[in-house]
Amino acid sequence: ANLLTYRDSAAEDGFFLLLVQPPLTVDQSEIEPKDLILVVDQSGSMDGDKWVQAQDAARYVLENLAEGDRFNAILFSTGTRIFSTSLEAAGMGGDAAAWIDGQFPEGGTNINDALLQAFAQVDPERNATILFITDGLPTEGEEDPDQILANLEAAAPSNARVFTFGVGDDVDTFLLDKIAQSFGGASSYVRPTERIDEEVASLFNKISAPVLTNVTLTVAGTMIDSTYPQMPLPDLFAGTQLTIVGRYRDGAEDAAITLSGLMNGEPQAFVYDDLAFRSVAGGEPFVAQ
């Protein structure tokens, strides 16, 4: 963990930037098996290169599941299509990829039903990751973003993490960001000139090795507020970095920062007691910005 701070003066609240870097890699034997549900937009607007790249991205994800993982695949347009009625073993990933290769884009974009279908697949006893790929706005079924969020919040299992992936310039970024934030994931976007399959593969590799879930942060020695991201914090994955910004009251040379969460289902805490919150004017001005 690294802490940067800034104060305009000793009489004013300070600003802080906390960077937490987990290990770059984790041995596969230390990773708890997970369930992955791949949800891919099959609407008519995906026709052409986007659909070919989405098929390639799906194949990469489905053929790179770890031993012990389970999965399912859902395609959605006006309605939904599902690969299997139950979660399948990782060895069936190639069959699911072949099934997706045989489909073609058509219809509208039913985001509400697609994610509700994914939530219905979640086993409450296992960590579940939902990877949601879309290139458009909701145009079928429930179209109001606020109502979609309400429907999802009512149905979401507590152990499901949703990672959204927006393709092109017509996506509802507010909706995708809110879905990812509400369900412990992250949102990513690809411009029309970028390759979908490469970006999805990169995201999948990052989220394949969780090192700490249900993450919370506490600080002893000074009061913090206005933090972003807000609690609960995003899960930590090998090779990624957690960035937390906020305000703090009093300076503290001996503050203790505790990062807590679950590692393979067991409580784990990391305490950093050698980080100082500046009590006098100075520091890194960019932290305040």
Side-chain angles (χ1 to χ4, degrees), residues 78 137 168:
T78 301
L137 307 167

Side-chain angles (χ1 to χ4, degrees), residues 38 40 53-63 97 100 133 200:
L38 180 63
V40 183
Q53 290 186 32
Q55 290 173 316
D56 290 342
R59 177 172 294 280
Y60 180 89
V61 169
L62 294 169
E63 292 185 347
I100 294 174
I133 304 171
V200 171

